[in-house]
Amino acid sequence: MLAARLHLGPQRRLELDEVPTPEPGPDHVLIKVEAAGVCLSDVHLIDGTLTPVMLDGDVVTLGHEVAGTVHALGPGVTSAEVGDRVLLQAGERRGGDAANPQGGAVFTRGVDYDGGWAEYTLARVDTLVPIPDDLPFEQACFIPDAVSTPWAAITATAAVRPAEPVGVWGVGGLGAHGVQLLRLVGAAPIVAVDPLPAARERALSFGADLALDPADPDLRSAISTATGGAGLAAAFDFAGVAAVREQAVTCLGPGGRLVLVGLTDKPITITGGIGFSFFQQQLRGHYGSQPEHVAELVTLRRLHRLDLARSVSAVLPLSQAPEAVRTLESKQGNPIRLVLRP
């Protein structure tokens, strides 16, 4: 089968390889991949910003956003059937036991073990999430991560409450969904900040009340006016940019929390440290989501509370994975999600 694989080492590179189709073992199924999302994390794995830490070997098939159908069952598997439409959780916990189910470590699909940029992929049965028949694979595949990461950041890490004023910095793959989901939970007003005019327009169409350019010298004043002088209760950095964090923290109100969702290896700087302490503001790190967040989102989509159709910027054949990576890296066309179809 064809697979897009990351080769680590001094000459890190993405290659399209012909590899044997895997066979499922106990507690596993073979998935026929119907769609797989292209994430900025994949770009960072290829460029070396991120590196697998639990990978056994130096080659891995990328792709942690995956949807498809169950193609074959491993020995003794009874909780799934051939033909089931599913999405795959973006990782799995290994090393826990009945006494400590949260023990061990979380291994990420497409990072620490082979993912879904392939015609077929293996999945442990407890990572399968059934999807409704009216949910296209191209939309289902990126619910884990592109949608579940901002959902978990909003509902768990930030614990946003209805009518709280919030800010979203970066309206790309994560931030666009962040705006939509903040609208869903009743945050108000929602202020979006992005340097790209097209991204600001997108933010308004996804439910933002105000969209601002970070270079606007009146940004803080505009946010103060929009919030009735209260400042933001929560600000989300979906860009992973140091300047974003420094700007966002200055827009927080008393007790406001800055949630770091976008990834960067740059230092975190808090300007105005006395004010940060006096107003009891908070800095909260965030990473990924839990299985229950994905299940919640599938329920919301099944009941048509969530529209993901606008998030599919383009669908490309698996053979064009390198081109998809370059398009996302350069932000050509300002995509929300590019999807690969084997």
Side-chain angles (χ1 to χ4, degrees):
M1 68 173 187
L2 184 67
R5 313 201 77 200
L6 174 64
H7 293 251
L8 302 169
Q11 299 295 324
R12 187 176 295 215
R13 64 198 186 279
L14 177 68
E15 291 191 356
L16 294 167
D17 298 332
E18 286 288 340
V19 298
T21 302
E23 296 185 6
D27 299 322
H28 285 73
V29 298
L30 181 66
I31 298 293
K32 182 180 184 298
V33 178
E34 299 290 349
V38 181
C39 176
L40 196 58
S41 296
D42 299 309
V43 174
H44 290 330
L45 284 164
I46 295 167
D47 68 22
T49 303
L50 298 176
T51 294
V53 295
M54 292 179 284
L55 176 66
D56 183 14
D58 59 2
V59 183
V60 65
T61 301
L62 293 180
H64 55 277
E65 299 180 343
V66 190
T69 55
V70 175
H71 186 74
L73 308 178
V77 171
T78 59
S79 58
E81 295 183 2
V82 171
D84 284 351
R85 303 177 81 252
V86 297
L87 60 77
L88 308 183
Q89 295 281 6
E92 60 186 46
R93 185 171 291 278
R94 300 181 185 178
D97 53 35
N100 183 22
Q102 295 303 310
V106 174
F107 285 62
T108 302
R109 189 183 309 278
V111 179
D112 301 310
Y113 62 100
D114 284 341
W117 287 11
E119 295 179 76
Y120 295 89
T121 191
L122 294 177
R124 208 169 69 188
V125 290
D126 62 348
T127 66
L128 306 182
V129 180
I131 58 175
D133 291 341
D134 68 347
L135 176 55
F137 292 113
E138 291 80 6
Q139 297 175 33
C141 67
F142 56 79
I143 289 177
D145 194 17
V147 191
S148 66
T149 291
W151 178 248
I154 291 164
T155 61
T157 301
V160 171
R161 297 183 298 277
E164 281 195 314
V166 297
V168 170
W169 270 258
V171 193
L174 294 176
H177 294 122
V179 169
Q180 188 177 12
L181 296 167
L182 284 162
R183 184 90 179 191
L184 184 63
V185 301
I190 301 168
V191 181
V193 183
D194 198 289
L196 299 178
R200 296 197 294 273
E201 292 176 11
R202 169 198 291 162
L204 293 172
S205 70
F206 271 53
D209 298 288
L210 181 66
L212 301 172
D213 186 335
D216 185 347
D218 295 323
L219 180 139
R220 287 186 64 195
S221 175
I223 290 177
S224 179
T225 299
T227 61
L232 300 175
F236 296 86
D237 169 23
F238 287 114
V241 176
V244 160
R245 299 171 171 189
E246 293 172 14
Q247 183 178 66
V249 77
T250 67
C251 300
L252 294 175
R257 53 263 189 214
L258 172 60
V259 182
L260 309 183
V261 186
L263 300 178
T264 178
D265 58 357
K266 298 296 187 292
I268 298 171
T269 302
I270 300 294
T271 56
I274 294 175
F276 188 85
S277 296
F278 180 80
F279 290 112
Q280 297 182 310
Q281 294 164 340
Q282 300 172 29
L283 183 66
R284 302 183 183 182
H286 180 84
Y287 185 82
S289 62
Q290 297 298 319
E292 60 267 23
H293 297 123
V294 174
E296 290 166 358
L297 290 163
V298 171
T299 297
L300 290 169
R301 172 53 183 78
R302 179 171 56 82
L303 296 172
H304 301 285
R305 305 293 176 86
L306 190 59
D307 177 15
L308 299 175
R310 294 175 295 174
S311 300
V312 182
S313 301
V315 180
L316 305 169
L318 176 62
S319 60
Q320 292 185 20
E323 289 85 345
V325 169
R326 286 193 289 270
T327 297
L328 181 59
E329 187 174 25
S330 64
K331 298 185 178 180
Q332 180 181 342
N334 192 25
I336 297 178
R337 251 320 171 257
L338 302 174
V339 176
L340 299 175
R341 179 185 292 155

